């Protein structure tokens, strides 16, 4: 029951890995570069070195679930959005399908279903996330999609909301809460074919994402 | 039986519109800007002004087929590749599905099915084209996909090939031949669910794309 964490060295990825390790949830952190390994090794987290832009199929060995939390980030260009957020996700889905992976947990984005409604600057990113989500849903792989709002570095509260109605329009969520929500999703193995929005809020995670 | 031409003012789009008009094939050229209209009007080609990045649903009025030959081109950034080549195509497919459009003819790219195999510089573009093709195929809209090789400005020969084996690896095709091939596809209304590669070659278009 090992979860391959794609994007493990990202801000959310690291927090998730640490939580999963503490909770005894078996994971394998996929990292691009062996130089990223010590952070994980110091915490007893298994790693595999593989490049999302190369052949990363060996990373799937021994895994029956995938958590995709890779993102090219705001400091690279849209070419990387195409190669990482879109095409990296598509290839991960293809590999998951070919290997009969039990479930694919995708970190998407709030309102990715409607890029047209996003601020102009965010639209290309949202289009990539939408296409990746659609690709996953059209695949043979059982899936869960988490759509966090605007990410912040606030500490975890463990209290979230699953809609903008619930928050009165507040659209932020801390990366720490996202990591906790991912831990919940990875542990709730019966959740399949579900899409959840995620914002900071008032409810326990297990209740909001049920 | 009118075909909405999305990307009509592009290099292939213009050549296709001219051929279609000469052949008496009913088309409507979708253009972004009224300033682009005179070129079409001088040739008796019907136009509709609509923005692929805005609400272009009114352009579909009276059309029962879509030809998508829009591309952001090599002189804009990858953000436009995401907004035009990927998301513009996805929205055109959505609109076509919502309106029960009879067929969607997509101009894709040779080897878009395997961006990983493309030269690094082209990979983001190929990923966008792949995702758009997959989206179209997964939709309810009947489709045909044309995948031209590297485009040139050579004159039309009317002679093409449908595989790299056939050309001995030569991967180019003139825009003029692509326009002729599109005219063939638009007229061959029984072609559905087919994908054709297109290169300059030796065979008549109707034979290569049969």
């Amino acid at each position: 029951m090992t979860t391959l964490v794609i994007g493990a060295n990202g801000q959310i990825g690291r927090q998730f890995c640490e939580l999963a390790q503490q909770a005894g949830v078996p994971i394998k952190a996929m990292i691009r570069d062996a130089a990223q390994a010590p952070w994980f090794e110091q915490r007893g987290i298994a790693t595999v070195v593989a490049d999302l832009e190369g052949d990363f199929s060996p990373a799937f060995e021994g895994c029956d679930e995938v958590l995709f939390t890779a993102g090219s980030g705001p400091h690279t260009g849209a070419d990387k959005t195409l190669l990482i957020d879109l095409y990296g996700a598509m290839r991960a889905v293809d590999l998951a399908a070919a290997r009969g992976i039990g479930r694919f947990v995708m970190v998407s984005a709030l309102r990715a279903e409607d890029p047209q409604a996003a601020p102009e600057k965010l639209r290309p990113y949202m289009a990539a996330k939408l296409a990746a989500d659609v690709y996953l849903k059209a695949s043979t792989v059982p899936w869960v999609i988490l759509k966090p709002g605007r990410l912040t570095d606030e500490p975890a509260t463990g209290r979230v909301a699953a809609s903008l109605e619930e928050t009165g329009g507040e659209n932020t969520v801390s990366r720490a809460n996202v990591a906790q929500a991912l831990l919940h999703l990875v542990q709730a193995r019966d959740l399949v074919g579900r899409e959840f929005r995620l914002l900071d809020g008032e409810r326990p995670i297990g209740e909001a994402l049920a």
Side-chain angles (χ1 to χ4, degrees), chain A:
Chain A
M1 292 297 203
T2 297
T3 301
L4 176 66
V5 184
I6 300 180
N9 199 51
Q11 294 183 72
I12 290 170
R14 277 192 177 195
Q15 293 188 57
F16 166 79
C17 286
E18 205 157 24
L19 290 176
Q21 181 67 7
Q22 286 160 6
V25 172
I27 57 169
K28 186 158 66 166
M30 182 170 131
I31 53 178
R32 190 172 42 217
D33 192 324
Q36 299 168 338
W39 188 92
F40 295 91
E41 284 162 2
Q42 282 155 19
R43 288 158 180 81
I45 300 166
T47 59
V48 57
V49 176
D51 184 358
L52 193 54
E53 293 183 64
D55 173 16
F56 59 101
S57 62
F60 283 69
E61 194 62 44
C63 296
D64 64 345
E65 180 163 272
V66 171
L67 167 59
F68 190 94
T69 181
S72 58
H75 303 302
T76 58
D79 54 335
K80 286 293 180 188
T81 306
L82 279 159
L83 291 175
I84 302 292
D85 303 74
L86 175 62
Y87 187 50
M90 291 169 73
R91 291 177 68 225
V93 171
D94 286 346
L95 287 170
R99 289 185 170 252
I101 289 286
R103 207 169 54 138
F104 195 112
V105 180
M106 172 74 95
V107 179
S108 177
L110 188 73
R111 292 192 276 199
E113 69 281 359
D114 187 12
Q116 206 66 13
E120 201 169 338
K121 233 181 71 181
L122 285 179
R123 252 176 243 168
Y125 171 74
M126 290 297 180
K129 295 304 284 181
L130 170 60
D133 289 353
V134 168
Y135 194 79
L136 172 59
K137 289 184 193 174
S139 79
T140 57
V141 186
W143 54 267
V144 180
I145 297 176
L146 184 69
K147 304 177 118 175
R150 194 162 61 77
L151 300 169
T152 74
D153 289 322
E154 297 299 310
T157 61
R159 300 278 153 168
V160 300
S163 76
L164 288 164
E165 292 70 40
E166 212 179 320
T167 64
E170 271 298 327
N171 70 346
T172 57
V173 62
S174 67
R175 291 179 175 87
N177 276 344
V178 175
Q180 289 201 2
L182 289 172
L183 181 65
H184 166 75
L185 292 177
V186 165
Q187 290 179 300
R189 302 207 41 125
D190 50 326
L191 282 180
V192 164
R194 300 286 304 277
E195 201 161 5
F196 298 103
R197 295 184 174 80
L198 189 74
L199 305 155
D200 288 330
E202 304 293 335
R203 289 194 288 159
I205 287 167
E207 187 192 306
L209 312 184

